[in-house]
Amino acid sequence: MLSGCRRALPAALRLAARGWAGGGGRRRVSTSWSPVGAAFDAKQQRSWLTGQSTGLFGVPELSSPEGFQEAQEKALQETEQLVQKACTTPPGPQIVMIFDQLSDALCRVADLADFVKIAHPDFAFREAAEEACRNIGTMVEKLNTNIKLCQSLKQLLANKEVMDSLGPETRQVAELFMFDFEISGIHLDEEKRKKAVDLNVKILDLCNQFLIGAHLPNKIDEHVLPEHIRYNFAVEGNYIQITGLHADCSDDLVREAAYKIFLYPNAEQLHCLEELLTSRNHLAQLVGYNTFAHRALQGTMARTPEKVMQFLETLSDRLFQRTLKDFEMMEGMKMKLNPQNSKLMPWDHPYYSGVLRAERYNIEPSLYCPFFSLGACMEGLNFLFNQLLGISLYAEQTEKGELWCEDVRKLAVVHENEGLLGYIYCDFFQRADKPHQDCHFTIRGGRLREDGEYQLPVVVLMLSLPHSTRSSPTLLTPGMMENLFHEMGHAMHSMLGRTRYQHVTGTRCPTDFAEVPSILMEYFASDYRVVNQFARHFQTGQVFYAVLDQLYHGEHPLKRSTTEILKETQEKFYGLPYVPNTAWQLRFSHLVGYGAKYYSYLMSRAIASMVWKQCFVQNPFDRAMGERYRREMLAHGGGKEPMLMVQGMLQKSPSVEDFVDALVSDLDQDFETFFMDSE
């Protein structure tokens, strides 16, 4: 059994597990760099070179919460100067550069604050960051309805001679800035433009309120729960606190209780969601779109809600019989383990799919987790990036005050020929008040500065991993490892999207393309004959979520309540019954950042699947393919039409049927056989 589990390790991790230190082409440019694996398997030792403190991320103003006020005032002053400059500069490439400087001045504060407001352990920092986000966001919306500023860009776009002389990236960025004006209502009269700004600010506030509510625990009197399951939950006085779904718990009653209590409707959160959906619809119609979905999908690969629904319905039809069969197998397993209560319910399928997968492949997580130490995973990633892209990761010593928590690690990303590409801050470990979500945050975008130097990108990867113990480093389950690889895919996109303009750097591209590099990394993460093959149901669940998202952002007023729409959609697209007195949509935090775009995970997965099978399945360390991947897909950020990037990599333009075929083939037994034969 142990040899079978070792075979489940990705090739890169097999090398790391045998002690490979990786990366023959490393250039030690800095004496403060050290091997990446050891930095994560050992407790961090801090030795400050001086007593003086820098600010967060090395920004001097941010040594205290009050610094956010100073940082935003500087950004707003710089913005005012750049607006005046843009309005007096004749048509030419300088206009695009000034607009990008504007974007950079605001994003340098807003992006950093966007991370700090949810992740900093100090409430004063979080509060100051949230205020900065709101103020900068309000300024952005005002600029997007500034007639004089828009006129300067219009004059450039109308000048054919000048436009023909610009490079493709510069033209694309100019058009993207104009697109921002158009979807913000620049064509409206003054009164309606002001209304559009007010609606945008209201939507920002509602999004923040909804996100906070989506993560709040629900409390219940401890006497309501049977005594023998209370220990599974946190206790606060006489109340039990339910903070999540406990989906992996082996006790059916614990999962049922968590599901029904955590998803119990909250009237305030329900009102917030309804207000958010209504406000988005009002904004979309005010600026000339039928629905918010039509507005949100402009510029994406899918382009229209109709195309998205065609994709989702086709995929759902193709998966229907397979889903029924899998649910039947899970119900059979539940019958065997719990004959008194064998009906399969929504709180059951994550647990029983894992039980079936473990039985089918004779896997016991405790046998392969020791190979998945965090340090080994990081060395595996290091080896993979070195082989594919000529990149090495090094742990770098930080300055006093640079970090928000002492267990954060800072990585330097170094190319064998190009040198230092940027920095990744790894905020990987659990702590009080830290959201339980895995995210990539851009802190500073890459761009070519006016002095000819390249502004290096800075990002944060946030995970929720357990801490190491005295006897063991942090050990990852396959799911944790997959999430790590996924977020690192976003980070590499940010590091290698070496665009001239920060407005389109790295992951600043259409959402249904932005997830491709991260999902492609999941294919590298594990041998999915073993870990991913059976009953993953990412398609089944995500089709349901994506359809719900489209319906919520479709025609308004909604014909039924959000809960009634959920019930109907769940029964049609999910196959398991709706549970009365639950409102899962109130915990669906992706409605904020992925409004009308949740389908992007599926479409991106389809593209990633095609890239994996066509380019990397035979040799995941193929340097020529790695360089092609960088050249065609990573290098452009949002500076090139996403479908053109996909065409460049795949040498074809995929259709809806191609997307569906790619997703379905991932679950086919034939594909498993193909993998085994190719070894």
Side-chain angles (χ1 to χ4, degrees):
M1 190 185 298
L2 185 58
S3 63
C5 292
R6 286 189 70 93
R7 185 170 173 272
L9 283 167
L13 293 191
R14 289 202 296 269
L15 289 168
R18 290 201 296 268
W20 187 87
R26 293 178 175 178
R27 299 192 307 159
R28 290 192 174 275
V29 181
S30 170
T31 56
S32 67
W33 290 345
S34 58
V36 69
F40 289 90
D41 277 349
K43 187 170 177 60
Q44 190 96 324
Q45 299 297 318
R46 305 285 184 196
S47 56
W48 314 119
L49 300 178
T50 68
Q52 191 173 356
S53 176
T54 184
L56 290 173
F57 299 101
V59 178
E61 296 89 344
L62 299 184
S63 56
S64 70
E66 293 73 27
F68 270 107
Q69 180 67 30
E70 185 182 348
Q72 78 181 42
E73 284 175 2
K74 279 187 178 180
L76 294 176
Q77 287 172 7
E78 186 179 352
T79 296
E80 191 176 327
Q81 294 166 2
L82 287 168
V83 168
Q84 291 176 355
K85 188 176 179 182
C87 293
T88 56
T89 300
Q94 186 70 10
I95 287 286
V96 184
M97 184 173 287
I98 295 168
F99 268 76
D100 194 63
Q101 288 174 277
L102 255 175
S103 175
D104 184 60
L106 294 169
C107 286
R108 279 202 311 269
V109 178
D111 288 342
L112 192 156
D114 205 37
F115 168 71
V116 172
K117 75 178 184 181
I118 69 163
H120 202 289
D122 185 335
F123 176 76
F125 264 103
R126 296 200 302 270
E127 191 174 44
E130 185 164 334
E131 180 66 17
C133 276
R134 192 177 194 279
N135 293 338
I136 297 291
T138 301
M139 173 55 71
V140 169
E141 297 308 332
K142 288 180 178 177
L143 291 177
N144 282 340
T145 54
N146 184 312
I147 295 289
K148 288 184 179 178
L149 190 62
C150 179
Q151 197 59 40
S152 69
L153 188 62
K154 269 187 176 176
Q155 289 171 1
L156 169 64
L157 292 168
N159 191 322
K160 187 176 185 306
E161 183 180 349
V162 174
M163 286 298 290
D164 287 345
S165 71
L166 302 180
E169 184 183 356
T170 302
R171 286 199 302 273
Q172 171 81 353
V173 172
E175 289 166 0
L176 286 172
F177 278 123
M178 181 53 69
F179 174 68
D180 289 339
F181 281 120
E182 289 168 350
I183 66 170
S184 298
I186 195 68
H187 53 286
L188 302 174
D189 62 39
E190 186 175 356
E191 184 182 341
K192 288 181 178 176
R193 288 199 308 275
K194 184 180 183 307
K195 187 176 180 183
V197 171
D198 291 343
L199 273 171
N200 268 309
V201 172
K202 180 181 180 181
I203 288 167
L204 282 173
D205 290 341
L206 287 167
C207 284
N208 282 333
Q209 184 183 336
F210 185 81
L211 277 177
I212 291 168
H215 296 294
L216 284 177
N218 272 346
K219 295 180 182 178
I220 191 169
D221 191 299
E222 64 176 355
H223 300 296
V224 174
L225 291 183
E227 189 172 353
H228 72 279
I229 69 168
R230 292 177 197 166
Y231 75 92
N232 291 278
F233 307 107
V235 178
E236 191 178 274
N238 294 325
Y239 291 91
I240 299 286
Q241 205 172 67
I242 312 294
T243 58
L245 295 175
H246 291 253
D248 295 324
C249 181
S250 60
D251 190 320
D252 291 354
L253 189 57
V254 170
R255 295 196 310 278
E256 179 180 356
Y259 188 95
K260 289 181 174 179
I261 298 167
F262 188 64
L263 299 183
Y264 191 79
N266 176 288
E268 190 176 335
Q269 182 77 341
L270 191 59
H271 177 71
C272 178
L273 175 59
E274 290 167 351
E275 275 284 291
L276 174 59
L277 297 177
T278 300
S279 298
R280 281 175 168 173
N281 183 70
H282 283 163
L283 175 63
Q285 293 192 333
L286 178 65
V287 299
Y289 292 91
N290 290 338
T291 68
F292 181 79
H294 283 90
R295 178 180 183 266
L297 295 177
Q298 287 285 303
T300 64
M301 286 190 292
R303 297 196 179 275
T304 68
E306 293 77 18
K307 180 87 170 281
V308 171
M309 286 304 295
Q310 180 195 355
F311 167 56
L312 295 174
E313 287 172 349
T314 304
L315 179 58
S316 180
D317 290 344
R318 291 278 297 276
L319 292 173
F320 182 73
Q321 290 301 325
R322 185 190 304 269
T323 302
L324 287 182
K325 181 182 175 185
D326 284 347
F327 282 162
E328 285 172 8
M329 293 175 71
M330 287 182 224
E331 195 157 62
M333 177 59 74
K334 187 176 181 182
M335 169 74 80
K336 188 162 70 173
L337 297 179
N338 185 5
Q340 309 301 320
N341 187 15
S342 62
K343 184 178 180 182
L344 193 70
M345 297 299 289
W347 54 80
D348 289 324
H349 84 264
Y351 172 71
Y352 283 107
S353 65
V355 171
L356 281 166
R357 188 162 58 247
E359 182 183 73
R360 178 173 177 179
Y361 293 111
N362 203 18
I363 298 171
E364 169 54 46
S366 64
L367 292 175
Y368 55 77
C369 268
F371 293 104
F372 288 174
S373 82
L374 177 56
C377 287
M378 294 304 295
E379 279 295 356
L381 280 163
N382 193 32
F383 175 74
L384 177 63
F385 293 146
N386 191 269
Q387 294 295 298
L388 275 182
L389 301 162
I391 282 173
S392 296
L393 306 175
Y394 295 99
E396 176 162 307
Q397 182 69 36
T398 54
E399 298 292 326
K400 184 179 180 182
E402 183 178 349
L403 304 179
W404 51 100
C405 186
E406 66 176 8
D407 58 19
V408 174
R409 310 291 195 265
K410 180 183 181 183
L411 301 183
V413 181
V414 185
H415 189 271
E416 61 190 14
N417 298 319
E418 299 166 34
L420 182 63
L421 297 181
Y423 293 104
I424 303 170
Y425 288 83
C426 300
D427 187 355
F428 282 176
F429 302 104
Q430 298 167 348
R431 63 175 174 269
D433 294 329
K434 180 182 176 183
H436 290 285
Q437 59 191 74
D438 300 336
C439 297
H440 162 277
F441 293 86
T442 298
I443 302 299
R444 184 178 70 198
R447 72 179 181 106
L448 188 63
R449 293 201 312 240
E450 299 72 57
D451 60 5
E453 292 293 311
Y454 198 81
Q455 177 173 290
L456 296 179
V458 176
V459 304
V460 173
L461 298 188
M462 188 170 79
L463 303 175
S464 296
L465 303 178
H467 286 270
S468 59
T469 65
R470 285 185 178 181
S471 60
S472 170
T474 294
L475 301 179
L476 275 59
T477 65
M480 291 174 185
M481 188 187 76
E482 187 176 277
N483 290 348
L484 168 63
F485 274 57
H486 178 105
E487 299 306 332
M488 194 59 80
H490 283 310
M492 282 300 112
H493 197 181
S494 292
M495 296 297 112
L496 294 170
R498 307 285 281 184
T499 53
R500 176 182 289 268
Y501 304 103
Q502 80 84 38
H503 192 65
V504 292
T505 185
T507 57
R508 298 199 209 279
C509 58
T511 309
D512 52 8
F513 182 81
E515 292 296 332
V516 174
S518 54
I519 293 175
L520 181 61
M521 283 301 298
E522 295 177 24
Y523 287 89
F524 285 101
S526 54
D527 180 339
Y528 63 102
R529 285 169 297 181
V530 177
V531 180
N532 292 354
Q533 173 66 24
F534 177 71
R536 283 290 310 282
H537 288 293
F538 56 79
Q539 289 98 335
T540 307
Q542 287 192 351
V543 171
F544 160 46
Y545 307 149
V547 171
L548 191 68
D549 176 38
Q550 289 296 308
L551 293 175
Y552 283 169
H553 291 103
E555 289 186 11
H556 275 246
L558 297 175
K559 295 182 175 64
R560 293 172 296 286
S561 72
T562 57
T563 302
E564 288 168 332
I565 293 170
L566 172 98
K567 177 178 183 293
E568 183 179 298
T569 307
Q570 179 169 329
E571 288 169 357
K572 181 177 179 182
F573 287 93
Y574 198 35
L576 291 176
Y578 166 76
V579 178
N581 295 315
T582 62
W584 175 85
Q585 77 274 23
L586 303 183
R587 301 289 186 178
F588 190 16
S589 58
H590 281 81
L591 287 172
V592 170
Y594 282 72
K597 296 180 183 178
Y598 193 80
Y599 77 92
S600 297
Y601 284 108
L602 285 165
M603 191 166 282
S604 292
R605 182 173 291 279
I607 294 167
S609 174
M610 288 186 267
V611 171
W612 171 256
K613 293 166 195 168
Q614 186 172 314
C615 305
F616 294 110
V617 69
Q618 297 290 349
N619 178 8
F621 305 120
D622 187 327
R623 180 62 177 271
M625 276 298 175
E627 293 294 345
R628 179 173 152 192
Y629 174 51
R630 177 182 181 179
R631 184 175 64 250
E632 297 291 350
M633 297 191 79
L634 296 180
H636 306 286
K640 188 175 180 179
E641 286 284 342
M643 193 53 81
L644 293 178
M645 292 188 269
V646 173
Q647 288 172 12
M649 192 69 193
L650 297 176
Q651 302 296 298
K652 65 177 284 190
S653 179
S655 65
V656 165
E657 283 296 332
D658 291 328
F659 291 146
V660 172
D661 286 344
L663 291 171
V664 172
S665 73
D666 276 359
L667 298 180
D668 283 343
Q669 192 70 26
D670 289 344
F671 189 56
E672 179 181 349
T673 305
F674 167 72
F675 246 89
M676 296 176 74
D677 290 344
S678 69
E679 288 192 329

